[in-house]
Amino acid sequence: MNTTWQTLLLFSISALAAVPAYAAPEASTALAASSAPVTASAPGSKWELVWSDEFDRDGLPDPAKWNYEDGFVRNHEKQYYTTERKENARVENGMLVIEGRKEQFKNPRHRAGSANSRSADEYAEYTAASLITSRKASWLYGRIEVRAKLPQGQGVWPAIWMLGDNHNTSGWPRCGEIDI
């Protein structure tokens, strides 16, 4: 079998919460109502680290911090997102490696004769991983910092993005999306 792959390397991900000096820390609604922008350079603003992953242990991504999307997920894409499979997502040498592979992979949701793109194909021709913090961590305000090395090439579409906590009930795009 001829296997090819593209690799996405994430060096670290951190979430920082903004606590501006002009808002009382216990008054979270004051931050929402404030028209003053909060930036890292705002006088008197403080940043507090509330979540991070420095990928400092080899193996599968930390299950306390990450969930996986599984299967043919969106946009009739041809890759099958796998769960807890080191060939597609692993931590090594201080980096999260997300690897898209050209390989035949059995679709456990296959239903013969199905018109649904998630169950129509018996085999996927590509595998990848999609890691999410859904049901693990979320933020209302703050700053996200990511150090990453992204692959290039025809058909490669690496992305780092955030969806609202209400994604499962409101759906996209009503839940909101921020591309990083």
Side-chain angles (χ1 to χ4, degrees):
M1 171 176 38
N2 181 16
T3 302
T4 59
W5 58 86
Q6 288 286 332
T7 303
L8 164 68
L9 299 175
L10 289 181
F11 302 106
S12 69
I13 297 178
S14 301
L16 300 165
V19 184
Y22 56 82
E26 65 276 4
S28 60
T29 55
L31 197 54
S34 172
S35 61
V38 178
T39 66
S41 59
S45 66
K46 297 178 184 176
W47 293 98
E48 176 187 335
L49 181 64
V50 295
W51 186 94
S52 72
D53 195 339
E54 299 300 326
F55 306 114
D56 52 4
R57 64 172 188 80
D58 287 356
L60 289 171
D62 186 346
K65 296 178 180 179
W66 300 101
N67 283 317
Y68 296 83
E69 289 186 298
D70 185 59
F72 293 111
V73 175
R74 68 184 66 78
N75 301 329
H76 303 282
E77 294 170 348
K78 291 298 184 183
Q79 78 266 4
Y80 187 95
Y81 289 123
T82 64
T83 301
E84 296 179 348
R85 185 171 183 251
K86 285 184 181 180
E87 291 89 344
N88 296 117
R90 64 189 172 278
V91 175
E92 60 184 33
N93 302 317
M95 294 178 277
L96 171 64
V97 177
I98 300 174
E99 191 169 292
R101 300 173 64 92
K102 181 174 174 42
E103 62 181 342
Q104 194 172 64
F105 189 83
K106 185 150 180 68
N107 178 5
R109 293 184 182 91
H110 171 69
R111 300 292 175 264
S114 174
N116 183 314
S117 65
R118 296 176 183 191
S119 57
D121 293 335
E122 184 175 3
Y123 291 91
E125 298 301 321
Y126 303 91
T127 59
S130 178
L131 281 83
I132 57 177
T133 60
S134 180
R135 298 177 312 278
K136 302 281 185 180
S138 64
W139 306 273
L140 182 58
Y141 301 106
R143 173 177 96 189
I144 304 294
E145 294 181 355
V146 177
R147 290 184 302 134
K149 178 180 178 182
L150 304 175
Q152 301 178 33
Q154 185 175 355
V156 177
W157 190 4
I160 301 171
W161 42 279
M162 302 184 305
L163 296 176
D165 276 346
N166 60 345
H167 176 257
N168 290 335
T169 55
S170 296
W172 182 88
R174 281 189 230 78
C175 67
E177 176 179 335
I178 297 174
D179 295 331
I180 299 175

